[in-house]
Structure formats: C-alpha cells, structure tokens
Amino acid sequence: MDRGLFIDRGPLETRAALIEQSRIAEIHIESSEPGPGRPGEIRKGRVTHVSGELQAATVDAGEGLSLFVRAADARVLAADDAGARKLPIAKLVRRGQDLLLQTGREGLDGKQGRASADIALHGRYLSIHPLREGLDFPKAVADHDLRETLGAALTDAGDAGRILVHPAASQVEIDVVLAELRRLQGEWADIRASAPKGPALMRPAPDLIEQAFVRLAGPSPEAVLTPDRGLLAELRQRARALAPDLADRIELCEASRSLELDDEIDAALAPEVALPGGGRLTIETTRAMTTVDVDAPGDPVKANLAAARELARQLRLRRIGGLVAVDFISLRGAPERRKVEKALRLAFQRDPAQVEIGGIDRFSILTLTRGRDAAALLTQLCETAPARQHLRPEAALARVLRRIEAELAGVGPVPVALMLSRDLEAVVEARLSGGLDRYLGRPVRLGYDALTVDEFRLSRER
C-alpha cells in the first residue's frame, strides 16, 4: 500500500496509523478522556500578564489552563495596521482583555501551552483563517482550469477570510468543496455568536478520527482499514460528512492488525533500530536534545546512506522534535559528505514537519532540527525510557485489553478469572466504570498481583 490509514478504538484510546510505502510512517494515540488544552481547541481567554521582555502574553483560558501567546501570534488582531508585523505585544493586547484563541502545541516539560489569535478551521478540502484575507492553492493543484473554476466559485461563496485549498479538493466535485466551505463558515458563525462571560472552551479540538480524515489521509489514500465492525459503520458515517471521497475506501481488516501495531510501537520505543544490510541506529533522547549513533560494517558510504533513509522515518515515527545530532560513520571527504546530506534531505521530503538540516562536519557529525507539535511517542506512552515494562498504566491497560480480546475471540461468554498488575488497579477503577464484565461480555473475577505492568494471567472459571 503506497498510502493508507489504520484506525482502531478501545475503551481507553483511539489509535490511527499512517501507512506509506507499505510501512508505518506515523502513529497517533488519543485518550478517550483527554484533558483541556489539546491542540486545535478554540477558547475565550483573558490576558493576565503582558511581558515586554518576552514579547508575549499569558492568558487564562479556563479550566485551570494558562496559555502563552507570542506577539507574532497576536498580530492578526492588528491586520489593518500597515506596520502590524513590527508591533510589540503591548500594542496588540492589554491586561484584562478578552481574546479568542486557538490552542497550538501542548506544554511540554512543565512549560505553558502555546496559543494563537490567528484562528484556523480545517476541513479535508480547504481551511479558512477568518481573520485574514486571500485565496491560496498548493503546488499539488497544478491544473490551471481547475484553479480558475474553483477560485471563482470560492470567491463567489462569500467572505470566509483567507481560504487555503488542499490537494484533496482536486479529487472531488466543486459542490463538495463548497459544501465544506459553508460548513466551516457556519462553525465560525456559531463561535462568534456564543458569548460566555469568562474564559471558556468555545469549540473542542477535532478528535483523532476527524484529524485522520482531514490531515493524515492525504489526497488519495488507497484504503482506510479498521478491525472493528462497530467502528467501521461509524467511520463510514463520519466520512460521508467530513470526507465523502473516502467513504467507499473504508474496509474491515483482520483483528490481528491491532496487535501488530503494538509490535510497531514497541519497536518505536526501543533505542536501537536495525539497518538493512547490517548495522544499527542507536537513538537516545534527553531534555536538551536527541543523539543518534550510526554503527554498521562494510562500506561507510553505503551504510550512511541506509542510515539517512531510516533516520528520517524514525524521527517522524517517534515524533521526535527539537535538536538532533547524528554521528555518522567517518567519511573521507566532501563528495561523500554531500552524497549523504543529499540522501537525508530527500528522505525527509515526505515529513510534514518543518526540518532544517545542517551539513556534515569533518568529524562526520550532522545536526538538524525538526518541528515539535506534540509530545514524542516515548513521552506519551512511557513513564521512563525506553522499555515496555515502563509503559504508563493507561497505555499498558489498553494493550492488555487488546491481548485479552484476542485470546477470547471465538470463545463464548464463559466466566473467566483475570489477574492484572497491581500497577493497573487505580486506572481500572478510574477508567473502566462499567467494569471488565461489561467490556469483555462475560463474568470476570478480577484480582491483582506483583506482575509487570503489561503482564496478565487469564483462565476459565470452573
């Protein structure tokens, strides 16, 4: 499969995996009970502090959420000012002022989450920025006639602010694109019409299924796969509303795909990655940066080229952002270094994150930076890096439930005895309010023992 999606859902989490060239390229996991401040929320907030030194403001966004707004992210509020790009934060907002904001990157390592006054509403075929103006087409929409026809239709549709057309718009009739534009305009009108007295959530962030259809799927995926018959019907229903061109591509797949994704996640949490032809990458992340060591036998150029291709995939798969230092196998001269640099830049072309790549120095070390829009997979799933026994209790319980379901597949509703790790007792009580009996569809005698966090014992009751 050149491009496709896999989506599954359990009582604790929804997961979406992007497949590119028959390999997993991205893995996204969303808790069934997400907290406030998820990227994409639209909130009414109140400015509590303005810092000239940082050129930023702190905003109370309700529900105990404090957001950080840079001057660059507030300048849309002064769009009519010819010098808006140079205005300091104190000229854009004031203490006590109410603002409509959209949450961006979540706060990591105890830092505040980011937010912007430049609101954006995203659909599969286009996005609108209500506080800006203009009409933009991506390079992927190269058909001149289509650009003219679609551009005229969108212009006639009324004031929507700035419209960004997505490549998927070229795959459907213009009426479908215009219907999405009207839907997004209606959402913005509803947001503007609501008037809470204080800081509050105005519109929740799109859930993972909507993000998968809108952002992950790309213009023309081959298939959207799910192992769950109940979820299959829901996905088709939601696709008809959000992504009509995908509705007929949603298919049922083998239940074993969920366990296979667990294996892919384990590999993405491990520090070592095997390279084709022998050798390995060793990936280690600290608070300050990520280091990657390349170790392989044989021709150093061939080994480094293989490492460059796999490195780009691994950083994207693991959602590693920030500064990355790569220690390549020693290269003899500038031509060899340029060859590896070129291969690395080519390997990153599919990555939607912003990546800046430096050159390989005479010590064969290269540094790069990759945009960080969400927590790394390791941070999201693990208490400490990087072994499976350190999975966070919620992630471990979700995995245990998938494995139990697989073991009980085809078995009638006979009573069972289940022993879980003591580390899971609190999360079972907090998150499975309906009880394991309801979820597993049978009487369950539950107990806890000194097991590793994702270990369990299952037996039939006599």
Side-chain angles (χ1 to χ4, degrees), residues 114-125:
R114 290 262 293 272
S116 173
D118 186 9
I119 308 294
L121 301 179
H122 302 291
R124 173 159 172 76
Y125 310 113

Side-chain angles (χ1 to χ4, degrees), residues 145-219:
D145 291 339
L146 176 63
R147 282 177 174 243
E148 281 199 349
T149 304
L150 193 55
L154 292 172
T155 302
D156 293 343
D159 181 24
R162 184 185 181 193
I163 300 174
L164 283 75
V165 180
H166 299 166
S170 63
Q171 306 295 315
V172 296
E173 299 293 331
I174 288 178
D175 288 347
V176 175
V177 181
L178 294 178
E180 181 168 86
L181 175 62
R182 289 191 293 269
R183 176 176 67 81
L184 297 177
Q185 287 175 314
E187 288 184 16
W188 177 240
D190 291 342
I191 292 168
R192 295 293 300 272
S194 59
K197 293 183 179 180
L201 177 67
M202 307 285 282
R203 177 184 181 268
D207 67 10
L208 184 55
I209 291 175
E210 181 173 343
Q211 292 178 52
F213 288 158
V214 168
R215 181 178 63 84
L216 284 179

